Amino acid sequence: MTTLEFGLDTFGDVTAGDDGALKSHAAVIRDLVEEAVLADRLGIDFIGVGEHHRPDFAVSAPEVVLAAIAARTQRIRLGSSVTVLSSDDPIRVFQRFSTLDAVSGGRAEVILGRGSFTESFPLFGFDLGDYERLFGEKLDLFAALLPQQPVTWSGTLRPPLAGVRVFPPVEAPPLRTWIGVGGSPESVVRAARYGLPLMLAVIGGDPARFRPYVDLYRRACAEFGIAVPPVGVHSPGYVADSDAAARDEFFPDYKRMRDRIGGERGWPPLGRDEFEAEIARGSLYVGSPETVARKIAATVRLLGLSRFQLKYSAGPLPHARLMRCITLYGEQVVPMVRDLLA
């Protein structure tokens, strides 16, 4: 089996302070840097920072935060979770991450996706009616940049390029680039077509639902005549000293986040029964280190993963609890999973 990597993801959720009031976005960003420094010290392989453009998440420029993390860390790989390529410029995305790769000594990654929120489209002047075309064309251009050769490219959304080179280049190309997929077969095949690793966002329901996507990806790679790149999973979770403590600590803040987003999307409020069922049979990795480790190991086996990324932030869940979760993940969960899969 390919060496399994362990990551942590955060969206920079705006957290509560000691007084119960929400912290400023600036304070949350500073806390996030400290969380990543701790993860590096614990030997965790990857930290992913999401891009959002709304008040409940503090990070709109992940590359800047990751550069600050790079200056304080030694080995942890640094990436986005995800970069919303559809509403960005592929050349600028490449330049920002190649710059991050330079300042971090070759540790940059990018996970490209369409995102589950759409605020960036009107903010940057894009028509949601072009949702599919924007991602398809921009990914095609981004993929053309990865070999770091002069690029000649044309599409329908921007002027053509003729023999263009992009700077700075990555010192040890290619820039590690994943495609984030939430459940679209077309996106799975697209990742295979470009020979890019697949990151599955499994945020609800039985992880077994995603086995057909993994199988499709492998078949598509075979049809395109390429070796199968790594497959990873991003899923939410929380680790505490016991199952009861994890559930009781996590539920109130997770519910606040879930109900706020659900209210925008027409979902009913989250009940405790649904929460418990998602832990037992779905994609919430919540519990003691042993419980979470066993659940991760089962998902890794089921889907044949090369990386698992735990999305550890959850609404206003306080920084101190996030730090404890990271500590337990790095010190206990990761070694347990490795032992279970040995």
Side-chain angles (χ1 to χ4, degrees):
M1 182 179 180
T2 304
T3 301
L4 179 63
E5 297 177 338
F6 293 87
L8 289 166
D9 288 336
T10 175
F11 295 165
D13 306 52
V14 175
T15 54
D18 293 339
D19 60 357
L22 294 179
K23 288 188 170 185
S24 69
H25 290 76
V28 170
I29 290 171
R30 290 190 289 269
D31 285 347
L32 191 164
V33 173
E34 296 304 322
E35 291 157 15
V37 169
L38 173 61
D40 180 62
R41 191 161 66 241
L42 292 168
I44 293 166
D45 298 302
F46 174 83
I47 182 77
V49 180
E51 172 196 347
H52 295 86
H53 303 272
R54 45 184 290 137
D56 39 350
F57 300 115
V59 180
S60 60
E63 308 89 339
V64 179
V65 179
L66 291 165
I69 294 168
R72 302 264 318 271
T73 56
Q74 300 298 318
R75 62 169 299 278
I76 195 167
R77 297 192 62 81
L78 312 164
S80 56
S81 289
V82 300
T83 292
V84 185
L85 184 64
S86 307
S87 57
D88 212 327
D89 183 293
I91 293 175
R92 291 297 289 140
V93 171
F94 182 89
Q95 290 175 323
R96 295 196 301 264
F97 277 90
S98 64
T99 301
L100 174 64
D101 198 67
V103 300
S104 66
R107 291 185 281 143
E109 301 185 9
V110 59
I111 303 178
L112 302 174
R114 289 175 286 192
S116 61
F117 297 93
T118 58
E119 288 85 1
S120 64
F121 288 81
L123 182 64
F124 299 125
F126 293 100
D127 186 346
L128 272 171
D130 293 328
Y131 186 81
E132 295 291 341
R133 187 162 61 109
L134 282 165
F135 186 72
E137 286 202 13
K138 292 185 178 190
L139 177 59
D140 189 63
L141 174 53
F142 192 92
L145 302 173
L146 292 176
Q148 300 193 162
Q149 299 298 318
V151 173
T152 297
W153 181 94
S154 63
T156 64
L157 296 169
R158 58 161 296 153
L161 302 173
V164 170
R165 297 183 65 197
V166 175
F167 303 97
V170 175
E171 281 185 300
L175 174 68
R176 193 174 191 186
T177 302
W178 302 70
I179 302 298
V181 175
S184 163
E186 294 78 12
S187 293
V188 171
V189 174
R190 184 184 286 128
R193 180 180 301 116
Y194 291 111
L196 296 175
L198 180 69
M199 182 61 63
L200 295 168
V202 185
I203 59 174
D206 188 339
R209 295 185 304 116
F210 282 78
R211 179 69 204 205
Y213 295 105
V214 176
D215 293 341
L216 172 62
Y217 182 61
R218 290 175 176 152
R219 289 197 306 273
C221 288
E223 290 176 9
F224 292 127
I226 61 169
V228 180
V231 176
V233 156
H234 152 107
S235 285
Y238 178 72
V239 192
D241 294 301
S242 68
D243 287 347
R247 294 175 185 214
D248 290 343
E249 291 173 12
F250 190 70
F251 177 71
D253 294 318
Y254 180 75
K255 175 177 170 58
R256 288 188 188 96
M257 176 191 68
R258 166 69 162 66
D259 288 354
R260 181 179 61 248
I261 295 169
E264 299 169 2
R265 301 181 180 185
W267 303 343
L270 177 70
R272 184 70 184 235
D273 289 348
E274 182 184 351
F275 172 74
E276 297 286 349
E278 191 63 36
I279 293 172
R281 298 179 295 279
S283 296
L284 269 182
Y285 294 75
V286 174
S288 68
E290 181 176 1
T291 295
V292 173
R294 290 189 180 280
K295 191 174 180 71
I296 291 173
T299 300
V300 170
R301 285 195 198 98
L302 174 69
L303 300 180
L305 303 181
S306 298
R307 181 186 287 175
F308 182 88
Q309 296 176 195
L310 184 79
K311 198 272 186 179
Y312 67 93
S313 60
L317 190 64
H319 172 61
R321 287 185 169 173
L322 299 180
M323 294 287 274
R324 178 62 177 161
C325 172
I326 292 168
T327 299
L328 291 172
Y329 183 72
E331 290 184 345
Q332 298 188 39
V333 173
V334 169
M336 283 185 195
V337 176
R338 294 200 190 281
D339 288 344
L340 288 165
L341 296 174

